[in-house]
Amino acid sequence: MFNDVIGFIKNLYGERSFIGLHEPIFGGNERKYVNEAIDSTFVSSVGKFVDQFESKFAEYIGGGHAIVTSNGTSALHAALHLLDVGPGDEVITQALTFVATANAIAYCGAHPVFLDSDIKNLGLSSLVLEEFLTQNAEVRDGVCRNKNTGRIIKACVPMHVFGHPVNIEEIVSICGRFHIAVLEDAAESVGSLYKGVHTGLFGKMGVYSFNGNKIITAGGGGLIVTRDAALGKRAKHVTTTAKVPHAWDFYHDEVGFNYRMPNLNAALALGQLERIPEFVSSKRAIAEEYGAFFDKKGIQFVREPADARSNYWLNAIVLDNREQRDLFLRETNGAGVMTRPIWQLMSELPMYKNSQFSDLQVARYLRDRIVNLPSSVRIG
């Protein structure tokens, strides 16, 4: 039934036995920098490539203070900790997200509150957020509480799905009225802009991932960004085991995390970062080809929302129903073309099934119909 789609993808990426979902590409200075890091013997969390990558990344996104971490999940956890999220607090996020978003909240001992998605950008719906807070929250003495549970609503974590920016300005505005800090889960949106500003720079903090399947990779790795210099300084301190700098003494002034990115990974990431304009351009061109093809097929292709410039990290289509989705997955994967469904709803996973959640009509609709397509960068 989907032979024409399989043929198109194989033509797009070349005839081969297996086409991955998102394969990294190395052809710049990655090997040179990694070898230099090895030769320096500084391969752990101290080294010049850690500092260079932080500086160059902040320059690329157009501002803020960048603090690298071991992975995107550790960045989320540390950022929530820095926002003083702790046991008994509540954190609002979307039900349709990667599990790391919810897990980081749980690591803090906090309770996730799962809200519905926006059909246009796939992320947290600003309309549902405002409705939920208007009906369920009250602010007293600068503190927002859930009227039903009595818990403090400490933060909101919108996630930019597949690199498509959420309606982040509106979300920040709504949360501001309710004295709720916004932490952007920008793990998938390196290279994406909303109204000309890079994702991750709208909230109190933003976090990114450089996992092996991301648009640029460090093999692993993550990063926290903030415009607040004092918060950035504390983020670096807390993610470096809260060790007070000293030539030889070991003194730690609070509970910290061993979350810093190793120099070896930063060397790889720096080589990748040098090529990101080329990568984003390639991915947007691929998205245009996909979009034109699926328009002719009468299949909905997920395009960037209004006011956004997406990196199109993962291209996606929306099929008619779950049965058609499952057939598509079987046929494409059976032909050596890697495709994947979107995630399960967080509220339906065993560890989060007792969490609060809104009506999730849109999230369930998307969960049953979305399929990700091969989206690797093409160079040459």
Side-chain angles (χ1 to χ4, degrees), residues 34-45:
V34 168
N35 285 334
E36 187 178 336
I38 291 170
D39 291 342
S40 76
T41 74
F42 287 92
V43 296
S44 294
S45 57

Side-chain angles (χ1 to χ4, degrees), residues 45-220:
S45 57
V46 174
K48 75 172 189 177
F49 290 109
V50 172
D51 298 330
Q52 287 181 11
F53 180 66
E54 288 177 331
S55 174
K56 292 294 185 181
F57 189 87
E59 180 182 325
Y60 169 71
I61 64 174
H65 304 271
I67 303 92
V68 290
T69 64
S70 53
N71 54 59
T73 307
S74 63
L76 280 167
H77 180 208
L80 287 167
H81 174 80
L82 290 163
L83 293 176
D84 197 33
V85 174
D89 291 333
E90 291 183 356
V91 177
I92 295 171
T93 189
Q94 59 217 51
L96 192 60
T97 184
F98 181 58
V99 71
T101 312
N103 283 348
I105 297 168
Y107 295 164
C108 296
H111 302 270
V113 178
F114 299 115
L115 301 187
D116 205 5
S117 301
D118 187 317
I119 194 70
K120 295 179 180 178
N121 59 50
L122 313 182
L124 178 65
S125 167
S126 57
L127 294 176
V128 174
L129 173 65
E130 183 161 32
E131 180 182 352
F132 176 84
L133 290 173
T134 300
Q135 294 179 356
N136 298 284
E138 60 181 357
V139 178
R140 292 184 181 177
D141 300 322
V143 176
C144 183
R145 289 187 181 273
N146 186 321
K147 292 186 290 187
N148 301 308
T149 64
R151 300 182 185 125
I152 296 174
I153 304 175
K154 192 67 69 71
C156 176
V157 187
M159 190 264 215
H160 304 292
V161 176
F162 306 149
H164 298 301
V166 300
N167 188 3
I168 188 61
E169 274 191 342
E170 184 66 16
I171 288 172
V172 170
S173 175
I174 294 165
C175 287
R177 298 201 307 269
F178 285 88
H179 297 259
I180 297 170
V182 174
L183 167 61
E184 288 180 71
D185 186 342
E188 301 176 353
S189 63
V190 175
S192 296
L193 309 178
Y194 183 79
K195 295 185 178 180
V197 178
H198 200 286
T199 55
L201 291 174
F202 291 87
K204 190 72 172 175
M205 285 182 283
V207 301
Y208 307 91
S209 170
F210 308 112
N211 189 37
N213 64 350
K214 295 301 190 293
I215 189 167
I216 62 171
T217 183

